[in-house]
Amino acid sequence: MVTPPAPGEGPTRPVSVSLHEGTIAALKERIGKRGMSAYVEALIQRQLERDRLRELIEDAEAAHGPVDQAAVEAKRALLRGDTDSANAA
C-alpha cells in the first residue's frame, strides 16, 4: 500500500474551490493577485495541524481526564515570561 504524501509534500495540482466575493477581495488586498495558492495552502496546512492537535487533546482528555486550568495558566505565564503569575499558580 502506498502512503499518500503528507500536507505540504508531493506535486501540486489545481483544484477548484468556491469562495465568497468578499473573501476573495480581502485576500487579493492582502496578498495581491499572485501568491493566492501559497497563501491558501498555508492556511489549510495550519488548519489541519489545529485539527490534529484538537484530536490529540481529546484523546488525552478521554484517557486522563480534563486538563487542570490552573496548570495551563501557569504554563502560559511561563511562556509569556510573567514570573509573578507563574509563581502564584
Side-chain angles (χ1 to χ4, degrees):
M1 181 187 287
V2 176
T3 304
E9 296 180 351
T12 60
R13 61 186 184 106
V15 296
S16 176
V17 297
S18 298
L19 302 171
H20 293 279
E21 285 185 27
T23 303
I24 296 168
L27 184 58
K28 285 182 178 180
E29 183 179 320
R30 177 165 298 275
I31 63 167
K33 290 186 179 184
R34 297 196 173 268
M36 190 177 296
S37 292
Y39 192 85
V40 171
E41 169 81 14
L43 292 173
I44 292 170
Q45 285 184 34
R46 190 165 36 253
Q47 185 61 47
L48 289 169
E49 289 171 357
R50 288 179 176 180
D51 292 347
R52 286 192 302 270
L53 180 56
R54 170 55 44 206
E55 290 165 0
L56 286 171
I57 291 168
E58 289 170 356
D59 290 347
E61 287 182 337
H64 305 287
V67 297
D68 176 359
Q69 270 315 118
V72 170
E73 290 305 319
K75 297 296 183 194
R76 283 186 178 149
L78 283 172
L79 290 172
R80 288 190 305 259
D82 184 3
T83 56
D84 292 335
S85 296
N87 290 333

Short mmCIF file of all heavy atoms in Angstrom, two decimals, residues 2-6 9-10 13 17-18 23 56 64 71 75 80 88-89:
data_model
loop_
_atom_site.label_atom_id
_atom_site.label_comp_id
_atom_site.label_asym_id
_atom_site.label_seq_id
_atom_site.Cartn_x
_atom_site.Cartn_y
_atom_site.Cartn_z
N VAL A 2 0.58 2.19 -0.85
CA VAL A 2 1.35 3.42 -0.97
C VAL A 2 0.81 4.45 0.01
O VAL A 2 -0.40 4.69 0.08
CB VAL A 2 1.28 3.96 -2.42
CG1 VAL A 2 1.99 5.28 -2.53
CG2 VAL A 2 1.84 2.95 -3.39
N THR A 3 1.70 5.05 0.78
CA THR A 3 1.31 6.10 1.72
C THR A 3 1.17 7.42 0.98
O THR A 3 2.09 7.82 0.26
CB THR A 3 2.37 6.23 2.83
OG1 THR A 3 2.55 4.96 3.45
CG2 THR A 3 1.95 7.25 3.87
N PRO A 4 0.04 8.11 1.16
CA PRO A 4 -0.10 9.41 0.48
C PRO A 4 0.87 10.43 1.07
O PRO A 4 1.29 10.30 2.23
CB PRO A 4 -1.55 9.81 0.76
CG PRO A 4 -1.95 9.02 1.97
CD PRO A 4 -1.12 7.77 1.96
N PRO A 5 1.26 11.42 0.28
CA PRO A 5 2.19 12.43 0.81
C PRO A 5 1.56 13.20 1.97
O PRO A 5 0.34 13.35 2.06
CB PRO A 5 2.44 13.35 -0.39
CG PRO A 5 1.46 12.98 -1.43
CD PRO A 5 0.84 11.68 -1.07
N ALA A 6 2.42 13.67 2.86
CA ALA A 6 1.97 14.49 4.00
C ALA A 6 1.60 15.88 3.50
O ALA A 6 2.02 16.30 2.41
CB ALA A 6 3.10 14.58 5.03
N GLU A 9 3.65 18.23 1.01
CA GLU A 9 4.56 17.42 0.22
C GLU A 9 3.87 16.97 -1.05
O GLU A 9 2.65 17.04 -1.17
CB GLU A 9 5.02 16.20 1.03
CG GLU A 9 5.83 16.56 2.25
CD GLU A 9 6.26 15.34 3.04
OE1 GLU A 9 5.81 14.22 2.73
OE2 GLU A 9 7.07 15.51 3.96
N GLY A 10 4.65 16.47 -1.99
CA GLY A 10 4.11 15.96 -3.24
C GLY A 10 3.94 17.05 -4.27
O GLY A 10 4.13 18.24 -3.99
N ARG A 13 -1.26 20.39 -7.73
CA ARG A 13 -2.20 20.24 -8.83
C ARG A 13 -3.36 21.18 -8.59
O ARG A 13 -3.69 21.50 -7.43
CB ARG A 13 -2.65 18.81 -9.02
CG ARG A 13 -3.37 18.20 -7.86
CD ARG A 13 -3.62 16.71 -8.13
NE ARG A 13 -4.39 16.14 -7.06
CZ ARG A 13 -5.68 15.82 -7.15
NH1 ARG A 13 -6.32 15.99 -8.28
NH2 ARG A 13 -6.31 15.31 -6.12
N VAL A 17 -12.20 25.67 -5.89
CA VAL A 17 -12.92 25.96 -4.65
C VAL A 17 -13.80 27.18 -4.89
O VAL A 17 -13.51 28.01 -5.75
CB VAL A 17 -11.97 26.23 -3.46
CG1 VAL A 17 -11.14 25.01 -3.13
CG2 VAL A 17 -11.07 27.42 -3.72
N SER A 18 -14.87 27.25 -4.16
CA SER A 18 -15.77 28.40 -4.25
C SER A 18 -15.62 29.24 -3.00
O SER A 18 -15.67 28.71 -1.89
CB SER A 18 -17.21 27.93 -4.39
OG SER A 18 -17.38 27.18 -5.57
N THR A 23 -14.53 37.52 0.50
CA THR A 23 -13.33 36.80 0.94
C THR A 23 -12.24 36.93 -0.11
O THR A 23 -11.07 37.19 0.22
CB THR A 23 -13.66 35.32 1.18
OG1 THR A 23 -14.71 35.23 2.15
CG2 THR A 23 -12.45 34.55 1.67
N LEU A 56 -5.66 15.17 19.37
CA LEU A 56 -4.74 14.69 20.40
C LEU A 56 -5.20 15.10 21.80
O LEU A 56 -5.14 14.30 22.74
CB LEU A 56 -3.33 15.23 20.14
CG LEU A 56 -2.55 14.61 19.00
CD1 LEU A 56 -1.27 15.40 18.73
CD2 LEU A 56 -2.23 13.16 19.30
N HIS A 64 -7.11 10.58 30.33
CA HIS A 64 -6.58 11.08 31.61
C HIS A 64 -7.48 12.09 32.31
O HIS A 64 -7.10 12.62 33.36
CB HIS A 64 -5.20 11.72 31.38
CG HIS A 64 -4.23 10.82 30.70
ND1 HIS A 64 -3.64 9.74 31.32
CD2 HIS A 64 -3.77 10.81 29.43
CE1 HIS A 64 -2.85 9.12 30.47
NE2 HIS A 64 -2.91 9.74 29.31
N ALA A 71 -3.02 24.82 36.02
CA ALA A 71 -1.72 24.41 35.49
C ALA A 71 -1.51 25.00 34.10
O ALA A 71 -0.40 25.43 33.77
CB ALA A 71 -1.62 22.88 35.45
N LYS A 75 1.52 27.59 32.99
CA LYS A 75 2.42 27.36 31.85
C LYS A 75 2.36 28.54 30.88
O LYS A 75 3.38 28.96 30.33
CB LYS A 75 2.06 26.07 31.12
CG LYS A 75 2.21 24.83 31.96
CD LYS A 75 3.64 24.60 32.36
CE LYS A 75 3.73 23.29 33.13
NZ LYS A 75 4.97 23.12 33.84
N ARG A 80 4.91 33.48 28.58
CA ARG A 80 4.88 34.94 28.41
C ARG A 80 6.00 35.62 29.16
O ARG A 80 6.24 36.81 28.98
CB ARG A 80 3.53 35.49 28.90
CG ARG A 80 2.36 35.18 28.01
CD ARG A 80 1.13 35.96 28.44
NE ARG A 80 0.80 35.74 29.84
CZ ARG A 80 -0.16 34.93 30.28
NH1 ARG A 80 -0.90 34.25 29.45
NH2 ARG A 80 -0.40 34.80 31.57
N ALA A 88 2.69 32.27 41.38
CA ALA A 88 1.48 32.28 42.19
C ALA A 88 0.67 31.03 41.97
O ALA A 88 -0.09 30.60 42.84
CB ALA A 88 0.63 33.52 41.88
N ALA A 89 0.77 30.42 40.79
CA ALA A 89 -0.07 29.25 40.46
C ALA A 89 0.51 27.96 40.95
O ALA A 89 1.55 27.74 41.34
CB ALA A 89 -0.26 29.17 38.95
#
